[in-house]
Amino acid sequence: MKEGAGEEPPARVCASTKQAGEIQSRWAWVERAIWTERMLATLETGVKGGRWFSLMDKVYALRNLEAAWKKIRSRRGRGVDGQTAQAFEARQEEELTRLSEELREDTYKPKPVKRVYIPKPGSPEKRPLGIPAIRDRVVQLALQQVMAPIFEKKFMPNSYGFRPGRSGKDALRRVQALLNQGYTWVVDADIQKYFDTIPHDRLMKEVEMEIADGRVLELLQRYLNQGILDGMESWVPEEGTPQGAIISPLLANIYLHPVDVEMASSGHEMIRYADDVIVLCRTEAEAQSALTRLREQVEGRGLTLHPIKTRIVDATQRGGFDYLGYHFERGMRWPRDKSLKKLRDSIRDKTRRTNGNSLSTIIANVNLTLRGWFNYFKHSHRNTFPHVDSWVRMRLRSILRKRHGRRGRGRGNDHQRWPNAYFQTMGLFTTTEAHAALCQP
């Protein structure tokens, strides 16, 4: 009897099966209620004619709307029409069925958005934000779930904002890698009021390069022309994407994609997170050339670089530049001033001297903020953290001082009365210790 006789031969994996598995792995983030194995294969190989037809039925498919609702129902709040997420959830089957019918029959129209103004961290200015109806959020996400993979396939590696599997941390890693390689001349660019000034007609032409379904294009146009309620005033915007809309980040990336392509083909190391743009260069002359090329591309798309905020910086010298919350200077990085102010504002709100909670409760609440902040800024220079910890303990000592009938903030003998070790025993998260542990081999 031959060796191995009677044994089952090893199972062979069909090449097409293996390829299908690889495709699904690459596109694991897509909404599978829409993007079937067959559609993903078409996405990879290229759709016939180069543009996608017959997408509207994917948008209004009840499974797609249900998947969109599941993702947003945890976001509590009230829409512009007064309906809450809880009220929508109580009638979700009826609401989603009605939305599907309206989209299929072309009777769906988004309601105007209510404009509110939220503070800009570290700035006296306020950022406009639109509050849509709950049902409009569902449809926008359903539309985004259909459109995003089509454009994600062609987006450039240097674009990091609002893309699956990419984050601000990835952009920061790339910045640091280029600085380490000698790209220390930096074009620090600011696109003035980008989301508010995107031309509608040119944006739609970019979308039409990939999508030919007229009903999808019409739905998208309705969102661009969505009315705005600002106090007692109302109007229809002629440019810009809806602030706060689920679909806006995708549209913003679509419109700046040609700039990504052009800068890369010109040999420039540009990094973009939505509208936050920097170009890293080896020499000042290269930076000047990059700025000229970037300005041509931005202005050619009907946008404007801020005349004051856009500048060229030598990162090896004092002054440096800010990017995505960090400050980069002379081979080091630390939180920019606005990032520190945002942290202090948050901690200050949680450590008011009139706070009636127990100290352990206050510290537990403070720890939530400190841990989240440290997780993002843990790669800062080590000198950052002792100052943060000292300031936080001062706020806590001020609470204890008031509870002992004393005025003013924690100082002087308070350091002996409530030493650092006291707060450590209370469980206070210490960024200095967390950073030291991170740096251990």
Side-chain angles (χ1 to χ4, degrees), residues 80-244:
V80 64
D81 57 353
Q83 186 183 39
T84 64
Q86 294 92 329
F88 189 99
E89 186 170 22
R91 305 175 55 203
Q92 67 180 57
E93 185 175 345
E94 178 184 342
E95 292 279 7
L96 294 175
T97 300
R98 183 156 59 97
L99 276 177
S100 179
E101 292 173 353
E102 289 179 9
L103 288 165
R104 184 174 61 251
E105 297 170 2
D106 277 337
T107 59
Y108 167 81
K109 291 183 180 179
K111 299 178 182 295
V113 299
K114 179 181 179 181
R115 174 159 288 186
V116 297
Y117 296 87
I118 60 174
K120 274 189 176 182
S123 172
E125 301 178 14
K126 291 192 175 183
R127 188 190 308 276
L129 187 68
I131 299 180
I134 303 295
R135 67 197 315 266
D136 293 336
R137 298 178 201 176
V138 173
V139 177
Q140 277 195 34
L141 184 51
L143 176 61
Q144 191 262 0
Q145 289 176 163
V146 172
M147 291 178 56
I150 295 172
F151 291 93
E152 183 62 30
K153 184 175 182 292
K154 74 174 193 175
F155 283 161
M156 298 290 288
N158 67 307
S159 168
Y160 292 90
F162 306 105
R163 294 181 59 189
R166 288 168 167 258
S167 67
K169 288 185 177 182
D170 296 318
L172 290 167
R173 290 188 191 99
R174 182 59 180 161
V175 171
Q176 191 62 59
L178 288 170
L179 289 171
N180 294 343
Q181 295 171 29
Y183 290 79
T184 55
W185 283 91
V186 180
V187 178
D188 185 8
D190 181 275
I191 302 178
Q192 197 166 7
K193 297 182 178 179
Y194 173 56
F195 283 86
D196 292 332
T197 58
I198 299 175
H200 288 177
D201 56 342
R202 300 186 63 174
L203 171 60
M204 290 301 299
K205 287 179 181 178
E206 292 295 333
V207 176
E208 289 167 13
M209 291 178 65
E210 302 294 332
I211 295 176
D213 188 323
R215 296 178 69 191
V216 169
L217 297 173
E218 173 61 26
L219 177 60
L220 182 57
Q221 188 71 60
R222 288 178 187 175
Y223 279 119
L224 293 177
N225 296 335
Q226 200 170 4
I228 296 176
L229 300 176
D230 191 348
M232 300 299 293
E233 299 181 1
S234 64
W235 74 90
V236 176
E238 297 180 358
E239 59 183 9
T241 60
Q243 291 279 6

Side-chain angles (χ1 to χ4, degrees), residues 177-334:
L178 288 170
L179 289 171
N180 294 343
Q181 295 171 29
Y183 290 79
T184 55
W185 283 91
V186 180
V187 178
D188 185 8
D190 181 275
I191 302 178
Q192 197 166 7
K193 297 182 178 179
Y194 173 56
F195 283 86
D196 292 332
T197 58
I198 299 175
H200 288 177
D201 56 342
R202 300 186 63 174
L203 171 60
M204 290 301 299
K205 287 179 181 178
E206 292 295 333
V207 176
E208 289 167 13
M209 291 178 65
E210 302 294 332
I211 295 176
D213 188 323
R215 296 178 69 191
V216 169
L217 297 173
E218 173 61 26
L219 177 60
L220 182 57
Q221 188 71 60
R222 288 178 187 175
Y223 279 119
L224 293 177
N225 296 335
Q226 200 170 4
I228 296 176
L229 300 176
D230 191 348
M232 300 299 293
E233 299 181 1
S234 64
W235 74 90
V236 176
E238 297 180 358
E239 59 183 9
T241 60
Q243 291 279 6
I246 292 172
I247 198 74
S248 286
L250 174 61
L251 298 179
N253 278 334
I254 290 172
Y255 195 66
L256 282 182
H257 171 70
V259 179
D260 297 339
V261 173
E262 179 57 35
M263 294 299 288
S265 64
S266 300
H268 296 301
E269 292 285 357
M270 186 177 85
I271 297 173
R272 183 174 67 81
Y273 189 94
D275 59 334
D276 288 329
V277 179
I278 58 172
V279 189
L280 291 95
C281 309
R282 291 187 180 274
T283 65
E284 184 177 11
E286 184 183 336
Q288 292 286 358
S289 175
L291 176 55
T292 298
R293 191 70 184 130
L294 179 61
R295 180 173 281 114
E296 290 172 354
Q297 289 298 306
V298 169
E299 292 180 353
R301 303 197 66 70
L303 305 168
T304 305
L305 289 182
H306 197 290
I308 298 175
K309 294 181 180 179
T310 300
R311 61 200 182 111
I312 292 177
V313 175
D314 180 0
T316 65
Q317 302 300 312
R318 187 179 296 276
F321 67 98
D322 295 337
Y323 193 62
L324 299 183
Y326 273 91
H327 178 78
F328 293 84
E329 180 181 326
R330 294 171 291 168
M332 299 177 287
R333 57 179 170 176
W334 57 82

